[in-house]
Amino acid sequence: MSKNSVLILGGASDIGMATAHRFAESGHPIQLAARNVSRLEAAKTDLSVRHNVAVELLELDVLDDAQCDGFVASLETLPETVVCVIGFMGDQSESETNAPAARTVMRSNYEGPACLMAHFANAFVARGNGSLVGVSSVAGERGRASNYVYGSAKAGFTAFLSGLRNRVTKQNVHVVTVLPGFVNTRMTEGMDLPAKLLAQPSDVGNAIFNAVEKQKNVVYTLPIWRLVMFVITHIPEFIFKKTSL
Amino acid sequence: MRLSGWGRFPVVDTDVSRPRDTLGMTEALSREGTIAHGMGRGYGDCALGTEHTLITQHLNHVISFDDTTGVLVAEAGMTLADVIKCFLPRGWFPAVTPGTKYVTLGGMIAADVHGKNHHRDGSMAACVLWIDVLTPDGHVHRCSPEHEQELFNFTLGGMGLTGVILRASIRLQRVESGWIDQTTVPAANFRDAMAVFERSADHTYSVAWIDCLSRGASLGRSLVMLGEHAPVSALGPAEHADRYAMTVRKKKSVPVDFPRFALNKWSVTAFNTLYYHLGSRQPAQRLVPWDSYFYPLDAILGWNKIYGRKGFVQFQCVLPLAESERGINALLDAISNAGAGSFLAVLKRMGQGRNDGIAFPMEGYTLALDFPATPSNLKLVARLNQLTADHGGRIYLAKDAVMQASQFHNMDARSERLRAFRAQRDLHNRVASIQSRRLEL
Ligand SMILES: Cc1cc2nc3c(=O)[nH]c(=O)nc-3n(C[C@H](O)[C@H](O)[C@H](O)COP(=O)(O)OP(=O)(O)OC[C@H]3O[C@@H](n4cnc5c(N)ncnc54)[C@H](O)[C@@H]3O)c2cc1C
Ligand SMILES: NC(=O)c1ccc[n+]([C@@H]2O[C@H](COP(=O)([O-])OP(=O)(O)OC[C@H]3O[C@@H](n4cnc5c(N)ncnc54)[C@H](OP(=O)(O)O)[C@@H]3O)[C@@H](O)[C@H]2O)c1
């Protein structure tokens, strides 16, 4: 009866927490990795009392190379599924002029998450199974003036996940790419976003759960975003460059 | 941000914050004119701050649960839907529940809600062991019937006006299944319905749906619905397979605002007639899932939109037992004469109230009805409030959006007590809702 554990990288985020609840509801033990993980004690108790599952907290800063590279080896149990929710939007105007700020955005959304996923992929290949879920963003589908530093790093992450899927699929390791549009989280709090395009964290959590169960490859949340992005990516560049989306 | 209660009337502009921890709560409550807001299922303006509204959405962690006693400790923003989802499959159900599960523990406590078992088990206060109340000075008071009793009493039913409830310890009840053994009894008029209630006093749950447009000899004709938690031995094979009735039934939702004319006198008459006949032809007794017994309206998400953009108001009063028959007939007469047919009219026998604070329930009958918020209906509700006062009754603050301060002060002692308590603790301007300002609390 006891199920295998699910590790959430970026467990303090709203999307990470909603995903943890969805898996815990189905009886999976949960591992939450985050910075300053002690602040997640209340969330840990909540998860374990609500769903009667074991919950473990793990310290992780994806910008810390040594921690990142030693992370898989440091785990007592290798999870069945890893969901990487880590990301950092930063401030676009600051990223335009301040190289260290831009670098942090690039590293937090691409370098760190991609290197971590690579470590897990290798461990899963060695074991012979596992699922990897990377939360990227529709912002990576086409660079826009309003957030291209973040978007370009997400584009890198999306491409990385696609290549990784192509490489490990024959070895029984499944890779899911999640492309959220707008999600109502701490990241977007206070922004005025259109309700029809705005997902709740639980929508993303459910989508991730279903994608793992049904071995989907690329999921958009909400599904309408597939259409929205189809249109956006097909606007000819000579028009697109003049728009402000 | 534009915010309203469940009735979508009134709609006001208020700053909004959604703190994530106690520190954030403390900061938020230090702002003048702040009120707590749970799921916004209060109908009127009780959860709208005069300056700033503190939404408890992120304050929703379970802190502990004791499987042997059914005692749950949780943060106040946890919803009842979540409580049921987590603990019913383990054999525990809320000891008191309102007619929707989309409420928070904090909202249930602040309104001191009553359920269909009020005549036997009392209001929310009966199952609250203790609460932590944050006051604007930054203190957190753990209060209970034994400790800081005054704050406890004024917070239960105090409509958020004593501070923000952060955490609560509540007792759940043991149930053998998630099925309700429901018996429907048709009643030809209000006197008949009362008789059914009076002889059903030992049933755990009872409530009646009233046809408000019936007149004359059939004034107050209704369907009384009695219920018991079904023991496992009463379940058939189909129910057995889903012992706690947790199978999710598909929800319908109301996607757009209904135009105002959808809800006129004729459609309401039709609805009521249909309901009455359907009901009386049904097998009198059957097993129904907890969700459809307690929360029939939850199956239609966003049903409050059927009243259209301008919203609606709810009238709910309780009348003392001795005055109930005369009083309710007077109210039904007034409604019937106005032809303002109400989509929802619910009648219920209440048991003894708590006489120590500002709670709404008292021994007698409570009547609740919805009206579209038209100028003529607002006048009607004011008239119904007056009739309630004339018969020694009380108005339920969780539903009220229109009562005048003077009316409230003349009606019952709750107003004076709450006002004095708030003055003594200097809460008057600091913790304030549009309702408290309207009622001069
Ligand atoms: C369909 C429907 C059926 C209902 N049936 C019943 C019924 O049968 N019996 C009954 O008693 N009520 C009933 N109600 C009313 C409902 O139970 C109450 O209004 C309840 O208070 C709503 O809870 P909420 O979390 O939505 O609170 P809100 O509507 O957000 O707030 C209600 C009040 O509680 C206060 N409050 C909320 N959270 C806190 C907190 N953490 N600390 C301090 N104060 C707080 C607010 O300031 C406000 O005064 C019904 C409502 C609906 C929509
Ligand atoms: N919200 C949206 O509209 C939206 C849209 C598309 C994609 N996404 C993506 O969805 C994911 C979750 O975002 P969210 O909306 O839930 O916002 P969020 O709360 O800001 O989540 C981002 C998470 O990443 C963590 N993180 C950032 N840098 C880190 C680092 N160096 N090491 C470890 N963890 C780090 C953050 O941890 P701390 O708590 O320690 O800061 C935070 O928990 C992100 O990848 C985001 O890009 C969001």
Side-chain angles (χ1 to χ4, degrees):
Chain A
M1 208 10 226
S2 113
K3 298 201 178 174
N4 296 320
S5 70
V6 174
L7 167 63
I8 315 282
L9 306 169
S13 68
D14 290 340
I15 294 176
M17 203 50 81
T19 308
H21 275 282
R22 183 60 193 89
F23 279 98
E25 198 183 312
S26 296
H28 293 275
I30 300 294
Q31 296 164 294
L32 297 174
R35 299 184 283 200
N36 309 319
V37 81
S38 61
R39 69 197 156 121
L40 295 186
E41 284 297 339
K44 172 184 171 175
T45 309
D46 178 52
L47 269 168
S48 63
V49 178
R50 271 186 203 234
H51 309 293
N52 254 329
V53 297
V55 180
E56 187 186 4
L57 300 182
L58 305 160
E59 186 67 31
L60 172 69
D61 183 342
V62 85
L63 296 177
D64 179 333
D65 294 347
Q67 212 177 53
C68 220
D69 294 340
F71 190 69
V72 174
S74 75
L75 296 176
E76 262 173 44
T77 38
L78 188 63
E80 176 186 56
T81 299
V82 174
V83 182
C84 179
V85 185
I86 293 171
F88 175 58
M89 185 135 70
D91 177 52
Q92 167 65 24
S93 57
E94 196 185 352
S95 294
E96 285 166 14
T97 52
N98 179 338
R103 197 170 286 124
T104 303
V105 172
M106 293 169 184
R107 294 191 61 212
S108 305
N109 291 296
Y110 174 58
E111 185 192 299
C115 290
L116 256 179
M117 289 309 235
H119 287 303
F120 276 106
N122 295 337
F124 285 1
V125 165
R127 185 177 64 187
N129 64 49
S131 297
L132 293 160
V133 181
V135 176
S136 190
S137 170
V138 298
E141 307 277 273
R142 190 164 197 178
R144 292 177 293 128
S146 58
N147 69 355
Y148 66 87
V149 176
Y150 169 78
S152 65
K154 286 293 194 187
F157 191 42
T158 302
F160 184 91
L161 291 169
S162 146
L164 188 65
R165 174 164 42 243
N166 189 208
R167 179 195 131 202
V168 298
T169 188
K170 300 163 219 74
Q171 282 129 321
N172 197 32
V173 175
H174 183 64
V175 178
V176 183
T177 307
V178 183
L179 300 172
F182 301 136
V183 191
N184 187 9
T185 67
R186 199 192 300 255
M187 191 180 264
T188 52
E189 194 162 341
M191 295 185 193
D192 190 18
L193 301 169
K196 287 218 161 47
L197 294 177
L198 183 65
Q200 296 305 319
S202 58
D203 295 330
V204 184
N206 289 336
I208 290 175
F209 180 83
N210 291 335
V212 170
E213 293 271 292
K214 298 188 185 134
Q215 303 237 323
K216 293 189 180 162
N217 300 314
V218 180
V219 293
Y220 286 78
T221 59
L222 304 165
I224 175 105
W225 278 95
R226 189 182 287 274
L227 184 69
V228 173
M229 293 321 294
F230 179 84
V231 173
I232 291 183
T233 51
H234 284 79
I235 299 173
E237 190 64 24
F238 72 91
I239 298 175
F240 190 78
K241 71 177 182 186
K242 293 181 194 143
T243 61
S244 54
L245 281 168
Chain B
M1 166 177 167
R2 309 278 292 161
L3 201 64
S4 71
W6 186 243
R8 308 167 91 209
F9 173 87
V11 183
V12 304
D13 246 317
T14 164
D15 288 349
V16 161
S17 62
R18 302 166 199 268
R20 290 181 180 258
D21 50 27
T22 307
L23 189 67
M25 290 281 163
T26 311
E27 274 170 27
L29 189 59
S30 68
R31 291 185 54 180
E32 286 239 323
T34 296
I35 197 78
H37 182 110
M39 287 286 281
R41 254 53 178 194
Y43 279 73
D45 47 8
C46 58
L48 310 175
T50 52
E51 300 291 330
H52 169 226
T53 305
L54 186 166
I55 300 183
T56 60
Q57 154 191 15
H58 295 301
L59 189 80
N60 68 349
H61 295 105
V62 176
I63 297 165
S64 67
F65 182 68
D66 184 334
D67 255 310
T68 57
T69 58
V71 171
L72 168 69
V73 180
E75 291 177 336
M78 185 178 189
T79 65
L80 195 60
D82 275 359
V83 171
I84 295 170
K85 184 169 156 187
C86 293
F87 302 112
L88 180 54
R90 302 184 208 176
W92 298 95
F93 194 75
V96 170
T97 173
T100 170
K101 61 188 175 295
Y102 300 122
V103 293
T104 62
L105 296 180
M108 291 169 72
I109 294 167
D112 187 21
V113 297
H114 53 271
K116 297 176 170 64
N117 57 345
H118 185 272
H119 62 286
R120 266 186 39 158
D121 303 320
S123 63
M124 188 67 191
C127 64
V128 178
L129 303 179
W130 55 258
I131 48 181
D132 277 347
V133 181
L134 172 72
T135 45
D137 55 11
H139 279 85
V140 177
H141 307 258
R142 170 134 330 166
C143 48
S144 68
E146 293 79 40
H147 194 71
E148 293 218 40
Q149 187 190 1
E150 198 188 24
L151 181 58
F152 183 82
N153 285 338
F154 277 95
T155 303
L156 270 287
M159 304 310 295
L161 297 171
T162 59
V164 178
I165 304 158
L166 296 180
R167 287 171 277 277
S169 169
I170 65 167
R171 187 179 44 76
L172 307 184
Q173 60 170 322
R174 255 260 175 252
V175 293
E176 280 191 33
S177 80
W179 295 85
I180 302 295
D181 185 351
Q182 174 185 283
T183 309
T184 309
V185 188
N189 51 39
F190 178 64
R191 169 170 291 196
D192 220 26
M194 257 180 104
V196 177
F197 275 115
E198 296 305 324
R199 62 169 190 267
S200 316
D202 51 351
H203 276 82
T204 308
Y205 299 108
S206 59
V207 70
W209 290 73
I210 281 202
D211 169 0
C212 292
L213 289 191
S214 53
R215 289 167 177 260
S218 55
L219 186 72
R221 70 174 172 163
S222 36
L223 291 168
V224 187
M225 276 155 316
L226 308 172
E228 300 295 332
H229 289 283
V232 172
S233 59
L235 303 184
E239 291 86 19
H240 236 293
D242 185 13
R243 176 169 165 187
Y244 290 107
M246 294 303 289
T247 308
V248 180
R249 282 153 191 85
K250 208 165 162 53
K251 297 204 184 327
K252 299 190 174 70
S253 63
V254 178
V256 289
D257 292 310
F258 269 45
R260 188 44 77 72
F261 62 78
L263 211 93
N264 60 25
K265 184 173 156 181
W266 309 113
S267 60
V268 174
T269 311
F271 174 87
N272 276 319
T273 308
L274 187 68
Y275 197 87
Y276 185 73
H277 286 287
L278 262 182
S280 44
R281 275 184 209 149
Q282 262 169 14
Q285 190 177 6
R286 57 191 189 124
L287 290 177
V288 295
W290 57 272
D291 205 10
S292 50
Y293 182 77
F294 291 104
Y295 314 115
L297 289 169
D298 288 354
I300 312 164
L301 294 172
W303 65 261
N304 53 344
K305 291 188 200 143
I306 64 172
Y307 286 96
R309 237 173 237 297
K310 293 199 181 125
F312 64 106
V313 289
Q314 180 156 96
F315 165 79
Q316 183 174 357
C317 70
V318 60
L319 299 179
L321 199 52
E323 283 294 315
S324 288
E325 188 171 348
R326 271 195 300 157
I328 300 230
N329 277 322
L331 292 167
L332 291 178
D333 255 338
I335 294 158
S336 193
N337 290 337
S342 167
F343 186 55
L344 287 178
V346 177
L347 178 73
K348 152 108 203 102
R349 171 75 154 88
M350 285 191 144
Q352 208 113 71
R354 323 177 286 131
N355 282 324
D356 45 2
I358 40 144
F360 161 70
M362 68 162 99
E363 174 134 42
Y365 279 82
T366 177
L367 180 73
L369 323 105
D370 293 348
F371 302 100
T374 59
S376 61
N377 282 340
L378 295 182
K379 262 190 228 145
L380 173 63
V381 172
R383 164 111 187 90
L384 300 178
N385 286 345
Q386 193 49 50
L387 283 170
T388 303
D390 296 347
H391 290 272
R394 294 178 187 155
I395 296 297
Y396 190 20
L397 295 182
K399 310 284 178 77
D400 156 63
V402 299
M403 194 166 34
Q404 300 293 317
S406 57
Q407 208 169 25
F408 188 35
H409 289 290
N410 296 334
M411 191 176 311
D412 63 281
R414 286 180 297 165
S415 143
E416 201 39 55
R417 288 199 193 135
L418 189 52
R419 181 191 276 180
F421 177 83
R422 279 162 57 74
Q424 172 203 330
R425 304 212 176 195
D426 191 23
L427 294 169
H428 178 69
N429 290 319
R430 301 169 84 179
V431 182
S433 61
I434 304 286
Q435 179 177 55
S436 77
R437 190 170 65 188
R438 175 167 51 79
L439 296 176
E440 295 168 12
L441 293 170

